[in-house]
Amino acid sequence: MRKDNLKYSSSRDRGSSASYGLQPSNSAVVSRQRHDDIRVHTDIQNEEKGGYSVNGGSGENTYGRKSLGQELRVNNVTNPDFTSVPHGNRALATKDMRKSQERSLSYSDESRLSNLLRRITREDDRDRRLATVKQLKEFIQQPENKLVLVKQLDNILTAIHDVLNESSKLLQELRQEGACCLGLLCASLSYEAEKIFKWIFSKFSSSTKDEVKLLYLCATYKALETVGEKKAFSSVMQLVMTSLQSILENVDTPELLCKCVKCILLVSRCYPHIFSTNFRDTVDILVGWHIDHTQKPSLTQQVSGWLQSLEPFWVADLTFSTTLLGQFLEDMEAYAEDLSHVASGESVDEDIPPPSVSLPKLAALLRVFSTVVRSIGERFSPIRGPPITEAYVTDVLYRVMRCVTAANQVFFSEAVLTAANECVGVLLGSLDPSMTIHCDMVITYGLDQMENCQTCGTDYIISVLNLLTLIVEQINTKLPSSFVEKLFIPESKLLVLRYHKEKEVVAAAHAVYQAVLSLKNIPVLETAYRLILGEMTCALNSLLCSLQLPKACSEIQHDAFKNHVFNVANAKFVVIFDLSALSTIGNAKNSLIGVSTNCTGNLCKVLRTPFFT
């Protein structure tokens, strides 16, 4: 008996905030901050005085460089002797002149950048400040500014840090633009990526506000997205992946989870060799979120999508994949056994959870099982060979159905049955129709589900109808006529479901009809056809009776509908619905010719009735 300890765990409970080993000592932080403050203050003073002044005639500016004028005096192009300079010297003078011009441009850009940073930090007007951040974003994206960006990197990071930590909700767009700037900065200065990523993850770790942490993840995503598959981050990607994995293990909100996983998925796509070593750990954490039935269904669906997007890694590690499926199945069976013990009233261990716990967990396990099968993709097929064999899939399919049937016999749960129908459908869909399977249990399971669903919710009803369609398509020519009779006789719940108020349910019911009428088994197809045509004749005669007209089409009436009467509204609906379904035979290119001819003749008889003429 399982003691409610799954072999996979939700890593969200593994501990408190992660430590990335990326933060410098406190003294180093204080020292760097003082140094940055001095540099920013000096920049601002210089700009307010009209540029970079020469101190004490030393010929050096505040960064210890020679003034622009002194640089040019090395080879003064205004010197009258310039024309007599030998060719080599003239070339040297031209080169020095070009370097001087580049320095001039560099100083100009640096002054512009310092001005932008000052305005971002000091500007009070929200719109002007936002415009300035957007200007900084444009400045960062210009390739010629890389040298200046490197020189001012610490100051830029400080300014962006201040923006991201703004508390006012009115500045949310500003903060998002700041995160974008940070990501673009990292992408632009890929040779400084290690320093920037360490800074980002350090700030993430030290931040106490989720909205600020989210912005740092947005910056990380922007950097990874911008670089894409150019491999510019190859040297630091192990650091990034390790840090993201640590974050993933400790996030406790869906918002942070989503952004962190999106970053990881980018790594998996652009650097699969780096991600592959973290695949199992990532799956372990995502499975923990997937089976957390307290989360919103939308998040569960999103997690399912993330897991399925990792298909190449699931296929590459089939041993892990099938082992995980086995663990899910064992726990399903254990929960079903718990439910049977509780229902029997036996004196059971106090550790056995009540149905209010077991049923949601059983549903969650069925959903995650379906997700992993889908994640393996086309490789989950007996045609592809071991370890996925026909015997393996059939065994798993039967165990799932037995487990769910046992649970349903003691406690009815729409959530469990909806998840089970999806799971059975996924497993059945992996089997090739040509393979020999024992279909009795599958057919019985599908018909039992249909009996339950009339008064249930839309999701469950659609899951039942989709499963019936899949059973018809997969078992196909091996379907017995008795199955089709149970679908289309007057007492069938399928016929009642056609009147459902939700269009999705009506469409799903119509799909069952189309699947049956597309079969290549003549006896089964003829059984279905006669029942459907017989029902339509009954509906027509009900309409004719309401008009006080004589009955028609007596030769194609069906005994099952001999004593059945429709009201006018339902009769009209049935005629239209059945005509639509029967058109499948007439329009299908691969329909059986003999049946199609017979169908056409009988339909003509129906359409020649007074009601239509």
Side-chain angles (χ1 to χ4, degrees):
M1 177 69 64
R2 171 201 39 73
K3 300 300 182 182
D4 201 25
N5 56 333
L6 303 182
K7 300 175 181 62
Y8 37 86
S9 63
S10 172
S11 299
R12 295 179 292 116
D13 300 328
R14 291 181 179 174
S16 58
S17 180
S19 175
Y20 306 99
L22 303 175
Q23 294 185 358
S25 64
N26 292 336
S27 60
V29 172
V30 172
S31 175
R32 190 178 71 249
Q33 287 175 343
R34 288 176 179 170
H35 175 66
D36 292 346
D37 290 342
I38 292 171
R39 289 182 63 177
V40 172
H41 180 69
T42 306
D43 289 345
I44 293 170
Q45 284 184 328
N46 287 332
E47 290 164 17
E48 292 174 346
K49 291 178 181 179
Y52 294 90
S53 60
V54 177
N55 297 323
S58 62
E60 293 186 349
N61 59 22
T62 53
Y63 286 86
R65 305 185 186 91
K66 292 181 179 181
S67 69
L68 181 59
Q70 286 181 319
E71 290 286 354
L72 290 175
R73 289 189 204 110
V74 174
N75 289 288
N76 192 344
V77 296
T78 61
N79 193 316
D81 297 330
F82 177 73
T83 55
S84 62
V85 176
H87 177 76
N89 290 339
R90 183 163 63 250
L92 180 61
T94 304
K95 183 177 180 181
D96 287 342
M97 179 179 175
R98 186 164 58 250
K99 286 183 177 179
S100 298
Q101 290 172 337
E102 290 174 355
R103 291 192 186 98
S104 175
L105 181 61
S106 176
Y107 294 160
S108 174
D109 288 339
E110 194 163 357
S111 176
R112 180 188 170 204
L113 177 58
S114 296
N115 186 41
L116 289 173
L117 296 178
R118 176 180 63 79
R119 286 160 55 194
I120 289 172
T121 305
R122 294 187 174 186
E123 182 63 67
D124 293 328
D125 184 85
R126 183 181 63 185
D127 293 337
R128 284 201 293 267
R129 195 176 180 196
L130 177 60
T132 304
V133 172
K134 291 181 178 179
Q135 291 175 22
L136 175 62
K137 183 170 70 173
E138 294 175 0
F139 187 93
I140 290 171
Q141 294 179 87
Q142 295 170 0
E144 63 271 17
N145 293 330
K146 288 185 178 181
L147 180 60
V148 175
L149 292 172
V150 172
K151 291 178 181 178
Q152 292 264 31
L153 181 56
D154 289 338
N155 293 336
I156 298 170
L157 294 177
T158 300
I160 291 177
H161 175 267
D162 292 342
V163 169
L164 299 187
N165 282 272
E166 288 283 0
S167 58
S168 175
K169 292 184 178 180
L170 298 175
L171 299 176
Q172 184 59 27
E173 186 180 359
L174 174 74
R175 299 165 75 194
Q176 291 173 346
E177 287 291 334
C180 184
C181 282
L182 181 56
L184 291 171
L185 180 68
C186 188
S188 178
L189 304 181
S190 55
Y191 40 84
E192 293 285 349
E194 181 176 358
K195 176 179 179 179
I196 299 174
F197 274 127
K198 283 185 176 181
W199 184 89
I200 289 173
F201 294 128
S202 174
K203 295 301 181 184
F204 179 97
S205 180
S206 61
S207 178
T208 58
K209 297 179 179 179
D210 284 347
E211 61 267 26
V212 177
K213 290 184 175 183
L214 187 62
L215 290 169
Y216 284 117
L217 287 177
C218 287
T220 302
Y221 182 84
K222 186 65 177 179
L224 295 171
E225 180 186 44
T226 303
V227 170
E229 299 181 8
K230 297 177 183 177
K231 310 300 181 185
F233 290 155
S234 295
S235 61
V236 296
M237 198 43 57
Q238 187 59 64
L239 162 71
V240 173
M241 186 63 231
T242 301
S243 301
L244 289 172
Q245 188 72 38
S246 298
I247 292 172
L248 183 64
E249 291 173 357
N250 292 280
V251 294
D252 53 8
T253 67
E255 294 76 18
L256 287 174
L257 173 73
C258 290
K259 188 55 69 173
C260 182
V261 171
K262 287 181 179 179
C263 292
I264 290 174
L265 292 180
L266 268 180
V267 176
S268 73
R269 186 168 69 247
C270 300
Y271 304 88
H273 63 290
I274 297 292
F275 173 75
S276 61
T277 58
N278 295 84
F279 168 65
R280 294 189 179 191
D281 290 334
T282 300
V283 166
D284 179 59
I285 297 166
L286 293 181
V287 164
W289 281 89
H290 199 304
I291 63 175
D292 184 356
H293 57 84
T294 64
Q295 298 296 331
K296 293 180 179 179
S298 58
L299 179 64
T300 302
Q301 292 175 2
Q302 199 164 20
V303 174
S304 177
W306 294 334
L307 289 169
Q308 291 178 57
S309 71
L310 298 174
E311 179 181 339
F313 302 94
W314 289 103
V315 173
D317 199 352
L318 272 180
T319 300
F320 168 74
S321 305
T322 53
T323 299
L324 196 59
L325 289 174
Q327 292 174 2
F328 294 151
L329 194 53
E330 289 176 7
D331 287 320
M332 286 183 218
E333 293 170 331
Y335 279 121
E337 186 178 351
D338 289 345
L339 288 166
S340 62
H341 283 309
V342 172
S344 67
E346 300 175 5
S347 177
V348 295
D349 195 312
E350 62 180 7
D351 289 337
I352 292 181
S356 60
V357 173
S358 296
L359 290 171
K361 287 191 173 182
L362 177 56
L365 285 165
L366 286 161
R367 285 192 293 269
V368 77
F369 191 99
S370 300
T371 289
V372 173
V373 173
R374 287 194 175 104
S375 298
I376 300 173
E378 294 181 357
R379 182 60 184 86
F380 194 90
S381 171
I383 297 176
R384 305 291 293 274
I388 312 298
T389 62
E390 183 179 356
Y392 169 82
V393 177
T394 303
D395 177 64
V396 170
L397 176 61
Y398 286 174
R399 287 173 67 184
V400 169
M401 288 190 294
R402 281 196 296 265
C403 167
V404 173
T405 301
N408 188 48
Q409 287 173 347
V410 292
F411 291 101
F412 178 81
S413 168
E414 277 191 48
V416 169
L417 292 175
T418 302
N421 293 339
E422 178 188 3
C423 189
V424 170
V426 169
L427 291 169
L428 189 60
S430 70
L431 291 167
D432 190 272
S434 64
M435 291 184 172
T436 303
I437 64 171
H438 303 291
C439 55
D440 291 346
M441 188 173 183
V442 177
I443 290 173
T444 301
Y445 176 86
L447 292 173
D448 286 345
Q449 296 302 303
M450 188 173 66
E451 292 301 313
N452 293 328
C453 69
Q454 186 175 347
T455 59
C456 295
T458 301
D459 289 343
Y460 174 54
I461 294 173
I462 292 175
S463 77
V464 172
L465 295 174
N466 289 343
L467 178 60
L468 289 172
T469 300
L470 191 60
I471 288 173
V472 173
E473 292 173 346
Q474 290 298 107
I475 299 179
N476 208 290
T477 57
K478 299 182 180 68
L479 277 174
S481 296
S482 59
F483 171 75
V484 172
E485 288 177 355
K486 290 177 181 178
L487 286 180
F488 298 128
I489 58 176
E491 298 79 19
S492 171
K493 299 297 188 297
L494 175 62
L495 274 57
V496 178
L497 291 174
R498 296 175 302 175
Y499 306 125
H500 201 278
K501 61 182 180 180
E502 297 293 338
K503 292 181 179 179
E504 292 82 2
V505 173
V506 179
H510 194 268
V512 178
Y513 275 71
Q514 288 182 316
V516 172
L517 292 171
S518 299
L519 290 172
K520 299 293 180 60
N521 184 325
I522 292 180
V524 173
L525 184 58
E526 187 176 13
T527 298
Y529 167 69
R530 290 185 182 280
L531 280 165
I532 294 171
L533 198 61
E535 182 196 38
M536 189 165 65
T537 301
C538 179
L540 280 171
N541 284 329
S542 296
L543 290 171
L544 291 170
C545 183
S546 69
L547 297 172
Q548 298 182 346
L549 295 172
K551 292 184 178 181
C553 305
S554 58
E555 69 275 20
I556 54 175
Q557 289 178 351
H558 197 288
D559 288 343
F561 291 92
K562 183 170 58 176
N563 299 319
H564 194 78
V565 178
F566 290 97
N567 62 43
V568 173
N570 286 352
K572 289 180 179 179
F573 177 85
V574 166
V575 170
I576 295 172
F577 186 93
D578 287 352
L579 277 173
S580 174
L582 287 167
S583 67
T584 302
I585 294 178
N587 294 331
K589 294 179 180 179
N590 58 351
S591 62
L592 297 175
I593 298 175
V595 176
S596 296
T597 304
N598 187 34
C599 172
T600 303
N602 286 328
L603 281 177
C604 287
K605 292 177 183 178
V606 172
L607 295 174
R608 284 198 299 269
T609 60
F611 180 77
F612 284 100
T613 57

Short mmCIF file of all heavy atoms in Angstrom, two decimals, residues 348-375:
data_model
loop_
_atom_site.label_atom_id
_atom_site.label_comp_id
_atom_site.label_asym_id
_atom_site.label_seq_id
_atom_site.Cartn_x
_atom_site.Cartn_y
_atom_site.Cartn_z
N VAL A 348 -9.40 0.83 8.30
CA VAL A 348 -8.20 1.04 7.47
C VAL A 348 -7.21 1.93 8.20
O VAL A 348 -7.53 2.58 9.20
CB VAL A 348 -8.58 1.70 6.12
CG1 VAL A 348 -9.44 0.75 5.31
CG2 VAL A 348 -9.31 3.01 6.35
N ASP A 349 -6.00 1.92 7.68
CA ASP A 349 -4.93 2.74 8.23
C ASP A 349 -5.31 4.21 8.14
O ASP A 349 -5.88 4.66 7.14
CB ASP A 349 -3.65 2.47 7.44
CG ASP A 349 -2.41 3.00 8.14
OD1 ASP A 349 -2.45 4.16 8.58
OD2 ASP A 349 -1.43 2.24 8.26
N GLU A 350 -4.98 4.95 9.18
CA GLU A 350 -5.33 6.38 9.18
C GLU A 350 -4.57 7.17 8.14
O GLU A 350 -4.94 8.28 7.80
CB GLU A 350 -5.05 6.98 10.57
CG GLU A 350 -3.58 6.91 10.98
CD GLU A 350 -3.32 7.50 12.36
OE1 GLU A 350 -4.29 7.84 13.06
OE2 GLU A 350 -2.13 7.62 12.72
N ASP A 351 -3.51 6.57 7.61
CA ASP A 351 -2.75 7.26 6.57
C ASP A 351 -3.45 7.22 5.21
O ASP A 351 -3.06 7.94 4.29
CB ASP A 351 -1.36 6.62 6.41
CG ASP A 351 -0.46 6.93 7.60
OD1 ASP A 351 -0.72 7.93 8.29
OD2 ASP A 351 0.49 6.15 7.85
N ILE A 352 -4.45 6.38 5.06
CA ILE A 352 -5.16 6.31 3.78
C ILE A 352 -6.00 7.58 3.62
O ILE A 352 -6.82 7.90 4.48
CB ILE A 352 -6.06 5.06 3.72
CG1 ILE A 352 -5.18 3.81 3.68
CG2 ILE A 352 -6.97 5.11 2.50
CD1 ILE A 352 -5.96 2.52 3.60
N PRO A 353 -5.81 8.30 2.54
CA PRO A 353 -6.52 9.57 2.36
C PRO A 353 -8.00 9.36 2.10
O PRO A 353 -8.41 8.34 1.56
CB PRO A 353 -5.82 10.19 1.15
CG PRO A 353 -5.29 9.03 0.38
CD PRO A 353 -4.92 7.99 1.40
N PRO A 354 -8.83 10.34 2.46
CA PRO A 354 -10.25 10.26 2.18
C PRO A 354 -10.52 10.48 0.69
O PRO A 354 -9.64 10.96 -0.04
CB PRO A 354 -10.84 11.40 3.01
CG PRO A 354 -9.71 12.39 3.12
CD PRO A 354 -8.46 11.57 3.18
N PRO A 355 -11.73 10.16 0.21
CA PRO A 355 -12.05 10.36 -1.21
C PRO A 355 -11.85 11.79 -1.67
O PRO A 355 -11.51 12.02 -2.85
CB PRO A 355 -13.52 9.95 -1.29
CG PRO A 355 -13.70 8.98 -0.18
CD PRO A 355 -12.81 9.48 0.93
N SER A 356 -12.06 12.76 -0.80
CA SER A 356 -11.89 14.17 -1.18
C SER A 356 -10.44 14.47 -1.59
O SER A 356 -10.18 15.45 -2.29
CB SER A 356 -12.29 15.09 -0.03
OG SER A 356 -11.50 14.82 1.13
N VAL A 357 -9.52 13.61 -1.15
CA VAL A 357 -8.11 13.76 -1.53
C VAL A 357 -7.76 12.79 -2.66
O VAL A 357 -7.11 13.16 -3.64
CB VAL A 357 -7.19 13.51 -0.31
CG1 VAL A 357 -5.72 13.49 -0.74
CG2 VAL A 357 -7.43 14.57 0.76
N SER A 358 -8.21 11.55 -2.52
CA SER A 358 -7.83 10.51 -3.50
C SER A 358 -8.36 10.80 -4.90
O SER A 358 -7.65 10.62 -5.89
CB SER A 358 -8.35 9.15 -3.03
OG SER A 358 -7.73 8.77 -1.83
N LEU A 359 -9.62 11.24 -5.00
CA LEU A 359 -10.22 11.45 -6.32
C LEU A 359 -9.51 12.55 -7.12
O LEU A 359 -9.17 12.34 -8.29
CB LEU A 359 -11.71 11.76 -6.17
CG LEU A 359 -12.57 10.56 -5.73
CD1 LEU A 359 -13.99 11.01 -5.40
CD2 LEU A 359 -12.59 9.49 -6.82
N PRO A 360 -9.27 13.74 -6.55
CA PRO A 360 -8.54 14.76 -7.32
C PRO A 360 -7.14 14.32 -7.71
O PRO A 360 -6.66 14.63 -8.80
CB PRO A 360 -8.50 15.96 -6.36
CG PRO A 360 -9.65 15.76 -5.44
CD PRO A 360 -9.74 14.28 -5.25
N LYS A 361 -6.47 13.55 -6.81
CA LYS A 361 -5.12 13.10 -7.14
C LYS A 361 -5.15 12.04 -8.23
O LYS A 361 -4.26 12.01 -9.09
CB LYS A 361 -4.43 12.58 -5.88
CG LYS A 361 -4.04 13.68 -4.91
CD LYS A 361 -3.12 13.18 -3.82
CE LYS A 361 -2.63 14.34 -2.97
NZ LYS A 361 -1.69 13.91 -1.90
N LEU A 362 -6.15 11.19 -8.19
CA LEU A 362 -6.29 10.19 -9.25
C LEU A 362 -6.52 10.87 -10.61
O LEU A 362 -5.92 10.50 -11.62
CB LEU A 362 -7.44 9.25 -8.92
CG LEU A 362 -7.78 8.16 -9.96
CD1 LEU A 362 -6.55 7.31 -10.27
CD2 LEU A 362 -8.94 7.29 -9.47
N ALA A 363 -7.37 11.89 -10.61
CA ALA A 363 -7.61 12.64 -11.85
C ALA A 363 -6.33 13.31 -12.34
O ALA A 363 -6.03 13.30 -13.54
CB ALA A 363 -8.71 13.68 -11.63
N ALA A 364 -5.56 13.88 -11.40
CA ALA A 364 -4.31 14.56 -11.77
C ALA A 364 -3.31 13.58 -12.35
O ALA A 364 -2.60 13.89 -13.32
CB ALA A 364 -3.73 15.27 -10.55
N LEU A 365 -3.25 12.37 -11.79
CA LEU A 365 -2.32 11.36 -12.30
C LEU A 365 -2.72 10.90 -13.70
O LEU A 365 -1.87 10.67 -14.56
CB LEU A 365 -2.28 10.16 -11.34
CG LEU A 365 -1.51 10.40 -10.04
CD1 LEU A 365 -1.84 9.31 -9.03
CD2 LEU A 365 -0.01 10.43 -10.31
N LEU A 366 -4.01 10.77 -13.94
CA LEU A 366 -4.47 10.40 -15.28
C LEU A 366 -4.11 11.48 -16.30
O LEU A 366 -3.70 11.18 -17.43
CB LEU A 366 -5.99 10.18 -15.25
CG LEU A 366 -6.45 8.88 -14.58
CD1 LEU A 366 -7.93 8.98 -14.19
CD2 LEU A 366 -6.22 7.68 -15.49
N ARG A 367 -4.25 12.74 -15.89
CA ARG A 367 -3.92 13.84 -16.82
C ARG A 367 -2.43 13.87 -17.13
O ARG A 367 -2.03 14.05 -18.29
CB ARG A 367 -4.38 15.17 -16.22
CG ARG A 367 -5.87 15.41 -16.27
CD ARG A 367 -6.22 16.85 -15.93
NE ARG A 367 -5.93 17.16 -14.54
CZ ARG A 367 -6.81 17.05 -13.55
NH1 ARG A 367 -8.03 16.62 -13.78
NH2 ARG A 367 -6.47 17.36 -12.31
N VAL A 368 -1.60 13.71 -16.10
CA VAL A 368 -0.16 13.78 -16.36
C VAL A 368 0.31 12.55 -17.14
O VAL A 368 1.26 12.63 -17.94
CB VAL A 368 0.63 13.94 -15.03
CG1 VAL A 368 0.74 12.63 -14.27
CG2 VAL A 368 2.02 14.51 -15.30
N PHE A 369 -0.36 11.41 -16.93
CA PHE A 369 -0.04 10.22 -17.72
C PHE A 369 -0.28 10.50 -19.21
O PHE A 369 0.57 10.20 -20.06
CB PHE A 369 -0.90 9.05 -17.25
CG PHE A 369 -0.48 7.72 -17.81
CD1 PHE A 369 0.30 6.85 -17.07
CD2 PHE A 369 -0.85 7.34 -19.09
CE1 PHE A 369 0.69 5.61 -17.59
CE2 PHE A 369 -0.47 6.12 -19.62
CZ PHE A 369 0.31 5.25 -18.87
N SER A 370 -1.42 11.10 -19.52
CA SER A 370 -1.74 11.45 -20.91
C SER A 370 -0.70 12.41 -21.47
O SER A 370 -0.28 12.30 -22.64
CB SER A 370 -3.13 12.07 -21.00
OG SER A 370 -4.12 11.19 -20.55
N THR A 371 -0.29 13.37 -20.65
CA THR A 371 0.70 14.35 -21.10
C THR A 371 2.01 13.69 -21.48
O THR A 371 2.61 14.00 -22.52
CB THR A 371 0.93 15.40 -20.00
OG1 THR A 371 -0.22 16.23 -19.87
CG2 THR A 371 2.14 16.28 -20.33
N VAL A 372 2.48 12.76 -20.64
CA VAL A 372 3.77 12.12 -20.92
C VAL A 372 3.68 11.25 -22.17
O VAL A 372 4.60 11.23 -22.99
CB VAL A 372 4.24 11.30 -19.70
CG1 VAL A 372 5.49 10.49 -20.04
CG2 VAL A 372 4.54 12.22 -18.53
N VAL A 373 2.56 10.54 -22.35
CA VAL A 373 2.39 9.75 -23.58
C VAL A 373 2.44 10.66 -24.79
O VAL A 373 3.09 10.36 -25.80
CB VAL A 373 1.07 8.96 -23.54
CG1 VAL A 373 0.82 8.28 -24.89
CG2 VAL A 373 1.11 7.91 -22.43
N ARG A 374 1.74 11.78 -24.71
CA ARG A 374 1.78 12.74 -25.83
C ARG A 374 3.17 13.31 -26.01
O ARG A 374 3.58 13.62 -27.14
CB ARG A 374 0.78 13.87 -25.58
CG ARG A 374 -0.68 13.46 -25.75
CD ARG A 374 -1.56 14.69 -25.82
NE ARG A 374 -2.94 14.37 -26.09
CZ ARG A 374 -3.92 14.38 -25.20
NH1 ARG A 374 -3.64 14.72 -23.94
NH2 ARG A 374 -5.16 14.07 -25.50
N SER A 375 3.89 13.50 -24.92
CA SER A 375 5.25 14.07 -24.99
C SER A 375 6.19 13.14 -25.75
O SER A 375 7.10 13.60 -26.44
CB SER A 375 5.79 14.32 -23.58
OG SER A 375 4.99 15.27 -22.88
#
